[in-house]
Amino acid sequence: MALTKNKKVLDFVEAGAELAQPDEIVWITGDLGQLDELRKEAVKSGELIKLNQSILPDCYLHRTKVNDVARVEDRTFICTKSREDAGPVNYWMDPKQAYELASEIARGSMKGRKMYVIPYSMGVVGSPFARYGIEVTDSIYVVLNMAIMTRVGANVLKAIGPDGDFIKGFHAKCNVDAENRYIMHFPEDNTIISVNSAYGGNVLLGKKCFALRIASYLGKNEGWMAEHMLILGVTFPDGTKKYVAAAFPSACGKTNLAMLVPPKHYREKGYKIECVGDDIAWIRVGADGRLWAVNPENGFFGVAPGTNDHSNPNALAATKRGTIFTNVALDTDNMTVWWEGLNDDLPEHCIDWTGKPWDRTKFNKKDKSTCAAHPNSRFTAPAKNCPCISPEFDSKEGVPLSAIIFGGRRATTTPLVYQSRDWNHGVFVGSAMSSETTAAATGATGVLRHDPMAMKPFAGYHMGDYFQHWIDMGKAIKNPPKIFNVNWFRQDEDGNFIWPGFGDNMRVLEWILKRCDDAVDAEETAIGYVPRPQDIDLDELDYEIAPGHKFTQDDLKAILAVDKKRWAAEAEELESYYKNTIKTRIPAELTECLEKLKENCKN
Ligand code: GTP
Ligand code: SPV
Ligand code: MN
């Protein structure tokens, strides 16, 4: 039975049903009993595998088709009337053609299936930040994931009201045919259509599709920002708190930084990190002239491989109940999960992510085809499970930002940390980001590409206009956060990470926060302010870059150094990206910064 009298909602659901022709329409109420029934149904059909309920209560495993394991950037479209408005780094399709194509693919695709109607909120229901959506889908996996990742149910319909608007999302898994997979966005119609996939980022339409692509477009028009950023809170020994947002590309460390456990001597002094969000931030200018951020999500869709008790104990703890695992390995001795980097106890009896028996004697870390879990295997865990979740997680106003951090995966060139000179230079630093590609999207990994503000795959409009929006926002912020860039991923000649990373990133965070208070000096270099090596706390640091090679202050010096030759080449490359890719819509403020960088790198 329909849960609302809102005609726009009813018309949208009816149109979806008319097209896809499901046997039945089921409204998701948010009722726990209803979700329980759906879990049972999914276990019966094999869509979910029930895990050991005494070790992992309410946890399930799901395996996708092998052709459907990551976001598909080349099948993700921004469908604006004018091609120019989608800009140079998005794939574009004419909206009329896109609607026709999607209709053709989805027509009759839910025959013999049920269509679920999910009313969901991005943000706390009733908060000034909150935006509402309705996703219709034929996948129970999508329903159960959305129920973790967003706030779902009848109260959302109430908040939309009898005449309110919402973001329309239509998902049909069809035959999960990679050749007919399309993730289409219609920012001018507040509409998203996704067909022939059942993988997270392509089908949990509240996440990347709505909260970044559609929301970035709304933000540009309404004067706010939707960013691919974690939000964390730092508590200082004197009890004060500061908040930081950080944009890193997919699988480049947001979840890990958001839940960081500081080294022992920091904890003993009274430092604490709390997580507000691990992937998306919606940001507005507050009445006090500062930037205020909320996390519009309600759960974590986190990368499993590499997550362990040392790297991210908080994320691991969050996955111990009420979690859906996707494409990890199944330890059949005790019906628990395993992935590369969880521990050294390779399970003896194990089913790999493709559903085949796994032979641990053939395992070779460097060869992906021998891995038990897919490199982009994920956990969907409720945010409330996280031991370090911030008390501000549910705040309707959000948290004020002291710093914004950009960062990428760069084996060379980019130092461990540097600070921009001011807001506009910070925007330039974000626009100049490049990062090595990861398994979070299909295609080759480890390829260096431009990924401005970690938004290359997520800005729902022209990248040049997006840069301009950042510049314009700067004019509206009386008390802007300071902007930094970090790189945890510098490598030695043998490919070892030089910086210890993870909890030890606290040492860099501390310097960043001191800079926000003007409490520490820095060296001015060609690219911005870099720490003096003695200002990064290396106390009790015990890290081996390679067997027999302990990390010392010389290694720190090496990863703080600014190599002008490399940066001259970097600037030249960036110039070509601006000129040949972004072309006409580059703000003058950014070309000025580029000219200054080129000048600074001479001789
Ligand atoms: P998305 O969910 O795709 O947006 O990824 P994310 O940015 O949240 O990345 P996440 O924190 O899940 O980390 C991705 C991978 O990078 C994992 O395998 C981590 O173990 C690894 N990683 C994270 N932080 C660090 C770090 O400081 N140093 C090193 N060497 N690896 C890290
Ligand atoms: C990312 O790829 O940045 C993710 C995972 O956070 S997905 O939801 O698939 O986009
Ligand atoms: Mn992400």
Side-chain angles (χ1 to χ4, degrees):
M1 234 221 350
L3 291 177
T4 178
K5 293 203 165 77
N6 182 315
K7 192 162 175 322
K8 291 178 234 178
V9 175
L10 296 174
D11 285 352
F12 168 64
V13 172
E14 195 181 300
E18 208 162 280
L19 175 71
Q21 298 169 32
D23 290 1
E24 200 184 320
I25 298 174
V26 179
W27 289 73
I28 300 302
T29 60
D31 181 68
L32 297 182
Q34 183 189 39
L35 295 175
D36 240 4
E37 285 307 310
L38 288 173
R39 276 181 212 108
K40 280 191 192 132
E41 201 177 319
V43 169
K44 212 162 141 201
S45 71
E47 193 173 353
L48 291 183
I49 295 166
K50 197 171 191 164
L51 296 168
N52 185 324
Q53 296 295 295
S54 56
I55 301 173
L56 295 169
D58 301 320
C59 292
Y60 295 82
L61 168 66
H62 171 78
R63 297 191 193 108
T64 66
K65 276 202 172 182
V66 293
N67 75 16
D68 191 31
V69 293
R71 284 183 293 100
V72 279
E73 294 184 359
D74 57 346
R75 309 202 69 98
T76 297
F77 294 85
I78 301 296
C79 309
T80 42
K81 284 194 204 84
S82 142
R83 178 181 212 133
E84 180 66 10
D85 290 342
V89 304
N90 281 315
Y91 293 87
W92 174 84
M93 204 186 290
D94 171 68
K96 188 163 168 283
Q97 189 199 340
Y99 282 124
E100 277 171 13
L101 177 61
S103 298
E104 207 177 290
I105 293 171
R107 189 164 293 121
S109 68
M110 295 188 194
K111 275 185 192 156
R113 299 178 186 177
K114 290 177 190 165
M115 182 171 97
Y116 302 95
V117 182
I118 315 170
Y120 67 95
S121 175
M122 300 313 291
V124 178
V125 178
S127 130
F129 281 88
R131 293 285 173 131
Y132 308 116
I134 309 278
E135 175 167 357
V136 299
T137 176
D138 53 351
S139 160
I140 295 182
Y141 172 77
V142 167
V143 173
L144 296 174
N145 273 273
M146 286 292 283
I148 298 171
M149 293 305 297
T150 73
R151 295 153 172 99
V152 305
N155 62 332
V156 175
L157 288 169
K158 232 193 212 153
I160 295 174
D163 192 40
D165 286 310
F166 57 95
I167 304 297
K168 304 182 187 94
F170 175 92
H171 167 242
K173 61 185 174 194
C174 305
N175 305 316
V176 196
D177 165 12
E179 298 302 312
N180 279 303
R181 184 169 298 153
Y182 293 94
I183 322 299
M184 298 160 163
H185 305 72
F186 304 83
E188 290 152 353
D189 303 342
N190 287 330
T191 297
I192 305 157
I193 299 177
S194 165
V195 289
N196 275 304
S197 175
Y199 165 78
N202 299 329
V203 299
L204 308 178
L205 300 185
K207 195 174 178 56
K208 294 305 181 5
C209 300
F210 173 175
L212 289 180
R213 297 194 190 96
I214 299 286
S216 61
Y217 176 85
L218 294 173
K220 176 189 68 124
N221 292 330
E222 299 169 3
W224 55 283
M225 306 164 92
E227 300 297 334
H228 193 199
M229 290 180 181
L230 68 95
I231 310 165
L232 63 79
V234 185
T235 306
F236 291 84
D238 67 0
T240 55
K241 287 189 183 193
K242 279 198 164 63
Y243 296 90
V244 170
F248 308 155
S250 302
C252 290
K254 288 182 300 304
T255 302
N256 278 270
L257 186 65
M259 300 177 192
L260 176 153
V261 178
K264 189 160 137 279
H265 70 293
Y266 280 92
R267 296 200 302 273
E268 286 169 356
K269 277 188 243 171
Y271 281 96
K272 190 166 74 178
I273 301 288
E274 287 167 327
C275 170
V276 180
D278 82 324
D279 198 52
I280 296 175
W282 284 0
I283 306 175
R284 283 169 195 271
V285 185
D288 59 358
R290 291 191 290 177
L291 279 184
W292 289 71
V294 296
N295 166 16
E297 300 190 281
N298 202 28
F300 308 121
F301 186 59
V303 177
T307 306
N308 60 50
D309 231 351
H310 171 74
S311 64
N312 195 346
N314 286 308
L316 196 61
T319 66
K320 295 297 181 194
R321 63 204 140 91
T323 293
I324 300 173
F325 296 92
T326 301
N327 292 341
V328 301
L330 176 66
D331 180 336
T332 49
D333 280 337
N334 54 13
M335 291 303 278
T336 58
V337 287
W338 190 83
W339 50 78
E340 282 69 23
L342 174 63
N343 53 41
D344 293 330
D345 310 327
L346 309 196
E348 189 177 348
H349 299 109
C350 179
I351 308 282
D352 73 12
W353 69 273
T354 68
K356 296 200 187 78
W358 182 67
D359 181 354
R360 63 179 177 178
T361 63
K362 302 217 170 89
F363 173 60
N364 164 7
K365 244 197 321 219
K366 298 226 161 98
D367 177 359
K368 269 187 231 149
S369 70
T370 69
C371 286
H374 188 274
N376 190 40
S377 54
R378 300 244 167 195
F379 53 80
T380 316
K384 292 270 160 62
N385 279 3
C386 179
C388 70
I389 196 74
S390 167
E392 300 301 320
F393 172 73
D394 272 332
S395 155
K396 290 188 173 168
E397 292 74 38
V399 295
L401 298 180
S402 298
I404 286 178
I405 306 176
F406 294 118
R409 198 178 268 273
R410 294 293 303 264
T412 66
T413 315
T414 310
L416 177 64
V417 57
Y418 68 102
Q419 182 189 356
S420 65
R421 292 185 291 271
D422 54 32
W423 177 270
N424 284 350
H425 181 232
V427 176
F428 169 75
V429 168
S431 82
M433 272 169 67
S434 293
S435 191
E436 291 144 23
T437 51
T438 65
T442 55
T445 60
V447 180
L448 189 65
R449 72 164 185 186
H450 288 279
D451 193 350
M453 284 85 166
M455 284 289 278
K456 191 267 156 218
F458 306 121
Y461 60 102
H462 194 293
M463 190 55 82
D465 293 347
Y466 170 80
F467 294 161
Q468 186 65 52
H469 183 48
W470 268 83
I471 296 287
D472 293 343
M473 287 296 297
K475 294 175 190 146
I477 316 167
K478 262 207 322 279
N479 303 305
K482 301 262 186 342
I483 302 181
F484 298 82
N485 194 87
V486 299
N487 178 20
W488 313 140
F489 299 97
R490 285 287 288 265
Q491 291 178 16
D492 67 9
E493 308 77 57
D494 301 322
N496 301 302
F497 292 118
I498 299 174
W499 177 249
F502 302 102
D504 289 308
N505 293 333
M506 182 69 210
R507 302 169 190 275
V508 175
L509 259 188
E510 186 192 20
W511 182 81
I512 286 175
L513 291 160
K514 278 190 182 156
R515 289 295 295 170
C516 293
D517 280 343
D518 290 322
V520 65
D521 272 345
E523 266 166 40
E524 189 160 6
T525 72
I527 61 172
Y529 301 106
V530 171
R532 302 176 305 183
Q534 68 268 30
D535 292 329
I536 300 284
D537 177 358
L538 295 184
D539 278 4
E540 296 183 24
L541 178 61
D542 184 20
Y543 174 66
E544 274 198 343
I545 299 172
H549 180 174
K550 281 215 172 198
F551 185 93
T552 65
Q553 209 184 49
D554 285 341
D555 297 303
L556 178 65
K557 273 186 195 149
I559 56 174
L560 288 175
V562 175
D563 180 334
K564 280 196 191 176
K565 249 206 212 116
R566 280 187 187 273
W567 275 96
E570 186 88 2
E572 198 177 312
E573 220 297 306
L574 182 64
E575 180 163 38
S576 132
Y577 178 67
Y578 276 7
K579 276 198 178 136
N580 302 325
T581 302
I582 311 293
K583 291 183 183 152
T584 51
R585 301 198 193 183
I586 289 284
E589 290 85 346
L590 300 192
T591 38
E592 275 164 33
C593 288
L594 175 61
E595 288 312 313
K596 188 169 161 77
L597 175 63
K598 278 164 53 185
E599 195 54 40
N600 288 353
C601 290
K602 279 188 186 151
N603 67 63

